[in-house]
Amino acid sequence: MNIKVKQSIKEIDNAIQLAESQEDDELKSHLANLVCIRVSGLVENFLKTRISDYSNKKVPKPVSRYLSHKFADITNLKESKLRDTLGLFSTEWQEQFERFIQDNQQLKASLDSIITNRNNIAHGQHVSLTLKSVKQYYDDIKVVIMELEKIIK
């Protein structure tokens, strides 16, 4: 796993620990929102770095540079967008991911929920996230990332 992604995971883990140590429920809620945003970014950064690392090894430098630039701004990676993005590279990747998600609907729900909540937070809408739910989403998304590591090789 890319060092940038590992650092993000460590920072999210630290934010969760900080939130868990708080007694003030309002502060805990704000920290849960922060963790949600960071987890959403983790998914995006993982895919960007994985595509960059893959293309640096597999394709000529100009193509790799193009791909890194093309995917630099990818956001809002709900399950369907993630699946479609994988399909742009390989139908095999897309099919592997589809099979994986089909067998793990909770992971799909967690991925979609973290993105939806992040967007709601970013646009000033009320969200009723709990630290417990964000931690579950995060744990599920780490499983998705581990599977993506196996798929994108």
Side-chain angles (χ1 to χ4, degrees):
M1 188 176 297
N2 181 288
I3 192 149
K4 183 177 177 182
V5 174
K6 287 180 183 178
Q7 183 62 35
S8 290
I9 289 171
K10 183 178 179 182
E11 290 170 2
I12 293 167
D13 290 341
N14 289 341
I16 289 170
Q17 283 182 326
L18 176 63
E20 289 175 329
S21 72
Q22 303 305 308
E23 293 186 24
D24 183 307
D25 288 338
E26 186 175 354
L27 181 55
K28 244 184 201 179
S29 176
H30 288 302
L31 289 170
N33 289 350
L34 170 68
V35 170
C36 176
I37 292 166
R38 293 300 309 269
V39 172
S40 173
L42 173 66
V43 175
E44 295 164 5
N45 289 332
F46 172 81
L47 187 62
K48 290 173 195 177
T49 59
R50 194 68 179 180
I51 287 172
S52 178
D53 292 349
Y54 174 84
S55 65
N56 284 337
K57 295 176 191 169
K58 302 283 185 177
V59 299
K61 192 168 186 110
V63 176
S64 177
R65 187 167 184 262
Y66 170 78
L67 290 172
S68 291
H69 179 71
K70 177 79 174 159
F71 290 95
D73 296 328
I74 196 163
T75 60
N76 296 317
L77 285 169
K78 288 187 174 186
E79 181 273 336
S80 60
K81 187 172 183 179
L82 180 53
R83 177 179 21 90
D84 292 346
T85 301
L86 292 172
L88 293 172
F89 286 91
S90 164
T91 56
E92 182 182 334
W93 291 0
Q94 185 177 34
E95 290 166 0
Q96 284 179 274
F97 185 70
E98 285 172 344
R99 284 190 301 274
F100 170 72
I101 286 295
Q102 221 168 19
D103 295 338
N104 299 283
Q105 287 297 303
Q106 179 180 324
L107 301 179
K108 177 190 183 306
S110 291
L111 185 58
D112 289 353
S113 293
I114 208 81
I115 301 302
T116 297
N117 281 298
R118 186 211 62 105
N119 287 336
N120 289 341
I121 293 165
H123 296 285
Q125 296 175 5
H126 175 74
V127 295
S128 56
L129 279 174
T130 64
L131 187 58
K132 181 180 178 181
S133 63
V134 173
K135 282 175 59 178
Q136 182 62 58
Y137 298 156
Y138 175 50
D139 289 342
D140 289 346
I141 285 169
K142 288 190 290 186
V143 173
V144 171
I145 286 172
M146 288 188 298
E147 185 64 22
L148 288 170
E149 277 197 307
K150 296 176 193 171
I151 292 171
I152 305 170
K153 52 187 178 199

